[in-house]
Amino acid sequence: MHGTGLDALVLEHGKSEDIRAALDCLRDASAADGGPRYSEKVCRDVARAVVCRTYAKPILELSHMIVAASSAGGRFEDIFWGVDRATGAAFHRCFKELAHAATGLECGERVLTAHYGDGRFEISYSRMPFLAALLEFLVGTVGYAEIDAAATRLHGRPASAAEVSAVASALSKRLYDFLKDHLPSIQTRRRERHFLEFVADRRAGATGADAIDDDVTLDYWRRYAGDEEVEARAYRTIHEAASRLIVALEAATARLAAERARPIGVDVEAGEVDPADVEWVTSRLDDGVRSVADIVLGAPSEARLVVKTELELLSEIPAFPGVGRRLPKSILRAAVFGFQQSRIGNALRRAQASDEVVMLCRCGDVETYAEHLAKYRKL
């Protein structure tokens, strides 16, 4: 994402603990000499394919690789886990030996070609470490039973290319079902990415949560409030999205810092990571952004000393300090005209507003809002 560092953070935030654990297993997998079985790039590419939901083509490639691995009557595990360190050269050697006993396999210098009655499919050896890591991720998430059932359907020769595609589609659907409960929705991810791309363009050189502030939040709303293809009409929606992303990016930064083994301590300027902060920030990501009002309502009833009006004011104050520090004006703007915009929108639905107010709601013009607040307060 324009080299700002936001891209890595977006890939990090929103993943469930189950997904994190499966990806951690890839990073922790070791070869016989104690070195990593998969390269850092391979692990990162698997994470990207999963988080960005671009796994359909890789799963098709993986399915054809499973067919090739079991084409001589053996089990696919013999190839996938028989290779000690996952490299293209290692898989090339394995398939070169297998091709002598298998029918329908052509082992070239750079690609493996599987021949079927209805076509052929090529897989680059350099691609195979990624596919092996993807298989391991699938085993850790959708389960070995699902993979074994798919492999059983593909076991033996000849198998048609159409049959392999059908099995791959079923595996993709199974992973899609799993990810529905473990990743933000595609629509949410798309909106967040659109907002963060805008942030990256406006804040060249800034990284993480520090790139999001009052000005960029307001500029985004004013730029896209009238765009029918972007869900940005309501200012409160953009403010809440910016707040959530600040929390998420703070948590992602903390997690990545911990993974890169920076020294533990409280000297932030020296690059140290306070483990207490990591735990607190990540818990906020898992629980969502809670307002002060939420905290008050969660207290014992005998400890509540606020009335309804005060509680409404408290609802505007986020519990996470990083939001208040970066978006102080946005919090006030949401309190001042956030609900007013909602009331105007309700009036529009009741056909009680003029064309002028219709344009007002669509253009996102804050100055015009200020001029019309008093006039339309009773709508």
Side-chain angles (χ1 to χ4, degrees):
M1 194 179 293
H2 306 291
T4 64
L6 287 173
D7 194 28
L9 296 177
V10 171
L11 289 177
E12 175 64 20
H13 100 79
K15 293 183 294 193
S16 72
E17 289 306 314
D18 287 343
I19 291 180
R20 294 182 196 283
L23 293 174
D24 285 343
C25 285
L26 296 183
R27 286 190 288 267
D28 294 340
S30 60
D33 61 2
R37 173 170 162 77
Y38 303 108
S39 70
E40 182 179 342
K41 182 181 183 302
V42 163
C43 296
R44 187 168 59 249
D45 287 346
V46 171
R48 184 183 299 275
V50 171
V51 172
C52 297
R53 290 180 169 86
T54 55
Y55 48 77
K57 182 180 177 181
I59 287 181
L60 176 62
E61 293 177 287
L62 174 61
S63 299
H64 281 284
M65 189 174 168
I66 289 175
V67 172
S70 57
S71 60
R75 293 285 300 174
F76 71 95
E77 295 95 334
D78 296 338
I79 293 287
F80 281 92
W81 287 296
V83 171
D84 182 36
R85 187 184 298 279
T87 65
F91 281 110
H92 185 196
R93 288 193 295 270
C94 285
F95 279 109
K96 193 171 184 178
E97 293 179 7
L98 185 66
H100 294 300
T103 58
L105 281 187
E106 180 183 342
C107 190
E109 287 302 314
R110 296 189 176 183
V111 299
L112 177 72
T113 304
H115 293 273
Y116 303 96
D118 56 350
R120 67 178 191 172
F121 195 89
E122 293 182 346
I123 310 171
S124 168
Y125 300 116
S126 62
R127 181 76 164 166
M128 290 182 180
F130 165 77
L131 299 178
L134 177 62
L135 174 69
E136 196 157 337
F137 175 83
L138 291 173
V139 170
T141 52
V142 303
Y144 177 79
E146 296 277 353
I147 306 302
D148 186 56
T152 299
R153 288 183 58 186
L154 298 174
H155 190 271
R157 305 287 299 180
S160 69
E163 181 185 356
V164 178
S165 295
V167 172
S169 296
L171 277 177
S172 293
K173 176 62 167 58
R174 183 66 186 86
L175 180 58
Y176 173 83
D177 291 339
F178 172 84
L179 294 179
K180 283 193 298 185
D181 298 326
H182 295 271
L183 281 178
S185 69
I186 297 176
Q187 293 77 13
T188 298
R189 184 72 72 182
R190 186 181 297 119
R191 287 195 300 268
E192 290 177 348
R193 191 171 189 86
H194 188 268
F195 177 77
L196 288 174
E197 285 175 349
F198 181 87
V199 171
D201 286 336
R202 294 298 179 92
R203 296 285 182 265
T207 59
D210 288 336
I212 302 175
D213 60 14
D214 288 316
D215 291 339
V216 76
T217 302
L218 181 60
D219 289 346
Y220 181 84
W221 178 59
R222 296 184 67 173
R223 169 65 179 81
Y224 291 105
D227 193 324
E228 296 293 338
E229 296 183 1
V230 180
E231 192 174 327
R233 181 169 298 179
Y235 176 80
R236 182 171 292 276
T237 300
I238 305 307
H239 166 64
E240 291 175 351
S243 299
R244 287 195 304 272
L245 283 168
I246 285 174
V247 176
L249 293 174
E250 284 277 14
T253 301
R255 281 193 172 110
L256 290 176
E259 288 176 4
R260 291 165 184 167
R262 287 166 58 185
I264 294 176
V266 295
D267 189 348
V268 178
E269 293 183 359
E272 293 181 341
V273 179
D274 186 341
D277 286 346
V278 173
E279 182 179 354
W280 192 88
V281 171
T282 54
S283 70
R284 296 281 72 74
L285 175 62
D286 295 333
D287 298 339
V289 181
R290 296 200 310 154
S291 70
V292 175
D294 294 330
I295 297 174
V296 171
L297 289 173
S301 58
E302 60 271 16
R304 298 176 195 163
L305 302 175
V306 296
V307 297
K308 181 179 179 181
T309 304
E310 294 170 331
L311 196 59
E312 290 176 352
L313 292 174
L314 290 175
S315 67
E316 300 296 330
I317 305 174
F320 184 53
V323 174
R325 177 163 51 84
R326 294 181 176 88
L327 301 177
K329 293 180 181 178
S330 296
I331 294 170
L332 294 175
R333 286 176 182 135
V336 171
F337 60 78
F339 285 118
Q340 187 70 19
Q341 186 184 12
S342 177
R343 293 174 68 185
I344 294 174
N346 290 334
L348 285 173
R349 285 190 289 273
R350 296 195 303 267
Q352 294 179 3
S354 66
D355 291 340
E356 185 181 23
V357 178
V358 172
M359 293 305 298
L360 175 65
C361 283
R362 291 181 178 174
C363 73
D365 191 320
V366 179
E367 286 74 16
T368 307
Y369 258 117
E371 294 173 4
H372 288 267
L373 278 180
K375 182 177 178 180
Y376 294 104
R377 190 174 298 279
K378 293 182 180 181
L379 284 176

